[in-house]
Amino acid sequence: GNSVTQMEGPVTLSEEAFLTINCTYTATGYPSLFWYVQYPGEGLQLLLKATKADDKGSNKGFEATYRKETTSFHLEKGSVQVSDSAVYFCAPDPPGAGSYQLTFGKGTKLSVIP
Amino acid sequence: GAVVSQHPSWVICKSGTSVKIECRSLDFQATTMFWYRQFPKQSLMLMATSNEGSKATYEQGVEKDKFLINHASLTLSTLTVTSAHPEDSSFYICSAEPGLIQYNEQFFGPGTRLTVL
């Protein structure tokens, strides 16, 4: 089956620090890979995605590269801001016909302090 | 961009009553909608997949008679929690997948927080 292992939090960083949130997955075939963000009191928002090997997804200064050889999709940001404080979810979506069914990681809570 | 709304955003009800949650795709047609629940400090767990005009597909361990899903149109799916109990208190989130254009992603609603007293 499909599963995802995400770095456990909470993670607390000072503003402008470098961020890495690890994510590895197991899936049949070559899934599309997503990072979602959930700000306090809100629903999920798509942060970035990559649909094939070596693709790099990027948005709002965040990046993640689809690494087929290590089945990983680590999230990085060079300089975090207080407004980045949120919970981040890694989610692979296995390929195949029909609707996409995401498998979510447990989420990593990030707190950025001034 | 594609917007999904949920109503209500929060609801408090007495044990034994039923609660209906609506999920709407505002600017696109969604042939498929998904319902998730999220417990505090937990990840999202898929409850069911809802296809317009057909019965929902429930994940293992989810009671279909307790969580009634109706996807009556291409822009509306409803989740009814019947005879709610305190253990049903959770954050319920829906998502929708556009049908006509291959977006390759789901668009999430803001969630509904259910508290059963």
Side-chain angles (χ1 to χ4, degrees):
Chain A
N2 305 309
S3 66
V4 56
T5 301
Q6 189 175 334
M7 186 173 87
E8 292 202 19
V11 174
T12 302
L13 295 173
S14 297
E15 207 165 18
E16 298 184 2
F18 185 85
L19 168 72
T20 299
I21 301 178
N22 291 336
C23 171
T24 57
Y25 64 90
T26 59
T28 304
Y30 301 108
S32 296
L33 301 173
F34 300 83
W35 275 100
Y36 283 87
V37 58
Q38 185 177 31
Y39 296 103
E42 299 183 15
L44 270 73
Q45 301 174 28
L46 177 65
L47 179 61
L48 54 83
K49 65 180 181 181
T51 57
K52 61 183 188 295
D54 299 326
D55 267 3
K56 177 184 286 188
S58 61
N59 185 26
K60 299 182 180 180
F62 290 88
E63 293 183 339
T65 301
Y66 190 140
R67 300 291 188 196
K68 185 180 67 174
E69 62 278 8
T70 55
T71 61
S72 64
F73 194 52
H74 305 321
L75 182 68
E76 297 182 335
K77 185 172 185 180
S79 176
V80 295
Q81 305 300 315
V82 173
S83 57
D84 294 326
S85 298
V87 181
Y88 293 82
F89 293 92
C90 180
D93 172 25
S99 300
Y100 294 92
Q101 293 199 340
L102 300 169
T103 301
F104 285 90
K106 291 187 176 181
T108 302
K109 183 176 181 180
L110 169 67
S111 297
V112 181
I113 54 177
Chain B
V3 179
V4 176
S5 70
Q6 279 184 243
H7 178 79
S9 56
W10 61 269
V11 56
I12 301 173
C13 69
K14 293 182 178 180
S15 186
T17 61
S18 294
V19 175
K20 179 184 285 188
I21 303 170
E22 293 185 349
C23 176
R24 293 181 185 272
S25 56
L26 298 185
D27 50 4
F28 65 97
Q29 292 184 328
T31 53
T32 304
M33 289 184 171
F34 302 86
W35 286 96
Y36 298 84
R37 65 188 300 182
Q38 184 183 27
F39 291 106
K41 300 183 180 180
Q42 299 287 323
S43 185
L44 280 76
M45 299 300 297
L46 179 65
M47 298 175 66
T49 302
S50 168
N51 291 296
E52 186 266 338
S54 63
K55 291 183 178 180
T57 302
Y58 290 81
E59 295 299 300
Q60 192 173 6
V62 178
E63 300 176 58
K64 62 180 181 181
D65 294 330
K66 180 168 185 63
F67 298 99
L68 302 178
I69 292 173
N70 185 355
H71 193 160
S73 77
L74 287 171
T75 59
L76 173 65
S77 176
T78 61
L79 167 68
T80 301
V81 183
T82 62
S83 187
H85 288 91
E87 58 265 28
D88 298 324
S89 298
S90 188
F91 194 51
Y92 292 87
I93 302 172
C94 75
S95 70
E97 177 189 342
L100 295 180
I101 300 175
Q102 192 72 346
Y103 277 87
N104 192 33
E105 67 178 276
Q106 297 175 25
F107 297 93
F108 285 81
T112 297
R113 186 165 301 283
L114 170 63
T115 302
V116 184
L117 303 177

